[in-house]
Amino acid sequence: MILEKPTYRSLIIENARYLNENDSYPTKYHISLKNFLDFLREIRWIHKNINKLQNTVIISIDFRSNLLAIIVKMLWLRSAKVIATIHIDQGQTIVDKSSIFAGVILNFITKLFYERADILICGSKGIAHKLKRDFRLKNSISTIYEGIDLRPSKPKIFRNNAEKVIITVG
């Protein structure tokens, strides 16, 4: 399930479900009746699709999706697990993209809902530290670094008992 078709690259995912066409989200956070109604429509759409699939683990990516997944879990899917991932400095993004009023509300909402995620994962220790500090979160936050170091290095030889490696590109 994908909230919005990407605008910057083509994405071919078999059986993908898109709620919105590309460029449907504003670049600034503001409080309006339309935004609130859109958010409720998204909650309903996610709930309907997750119920159909009977998923028990929801992996969400970044702010809006994280809030939606956690709210759906709280309202209907209490036994589901939510893994919320954060790839940006959320506190600074709220400051940069919000009015003062919207910022106060979003800071409160972030703390309230992120504390209800089963697992929080950030793309770096710095983002994890800022998230914990800015929103006074009590959750432990895991870090999975984004990308790989592309500098030349000697090839590693992995034996059967060697550590497992997860690589993300993008």
Side-chain angles (χ1 to χ4, degrees):
M1 293 179 349
I2 303 169
L3 291 178
E4 177 184 72
K5 287 185 180 177
T7 55
Y8 54 91
R9 64 176 178 207
S10 63
L11 186 64
I12 301 170
I13 299 176
E14 195 173 315
N15 299 324
R17 293 185 184 112
Y18 295 97
L19 176 63
N20 297 307
E21 292 300 316
N22 53 16
D23 290 331
S24 60
Y25 291 105
T27 56
K28 298 282 185 185
Y29 300 142
H30 61 280
I31 307 298
S32 72
L33 180 59
K34 181 191 178 320
N35 282 350
F36 181 72
L37 294 174
D38 286 346
F39 199 74
L40 291 178
R41 181 176 61 93
E42 291 168 351
I43 289 171
R44 231 179 79 236
W45 182 77
I46 291 170
H47 174 246
K48 180 178 130 188
N49 282 286
I50 288 176
N51 260 358
K52 254 193 256 181
L53 300 172
Q54 298 178 354
N55 290 342
T56 57
V57 176
I58 304 166
I59 301 172
S60 58
I61 302 167
D62 281 330
F63 188 51
R64 189 177 192 100
S65 298
N66 290 341
L67 294 180
L68 291 164
I70 294 165
I71 290 169
V72 166
K73 171 195 167 116
M74 290 172 56
L75 293 176
W76 296 288
L77 304 169
R78 295 186 192 274
S79 65
K81 302 296 181 200
V82 173
I83 301 171
T85 65
I86 301 96
H87 304 268
I88 58 172
D89 179 346
Q90 189 63 55
Q92 190 60 51
T93 301
I94 288 173
V95 168
D96 293 343
K97 294 177 87 173
S98 304
S99 66
I100 294 171
F101 178 66
V104 169
I105 290 172
L106 291 172
N107 281 322
F108 173 77
I109 287 171
T110 301
K111 178 174 177 45
L112 178 71
F113 290 113
Y114 274 23
E115 287 193 340
R116 286 162 176 78
D118 295 288
I119 299 173
L120 290 173
I121 298 175
C122 288
S124 74
K125 295 270 186 208
I127 291 172
H129 172 75
K130 288 178 182 179
L131 186 74
K132 201 168 188 94
R133 181 197 66 204
D134 292 350
F135 301 104
R136 296 176 308 285
L137 297 176
K138 294 176 180 70
N139 312 43
S140 67
I141 301 174
S142 299
T143 301
I144 298 177
Y145 289 95
E146 299 179 50
I148 58 174
D149 186 356
L150 296 176
R151 291 176 290 184
S153 65
K154 292 193 294 188
K156 276 190 171 178
I157 298 172
F158 292 98
R159 309 218 188 293
N160 288 342
N161 61 352
E163 66 181 309
K164 303 294 182 214
V165 177
I166 298 172
I167 298 175
T168 62
V169 178

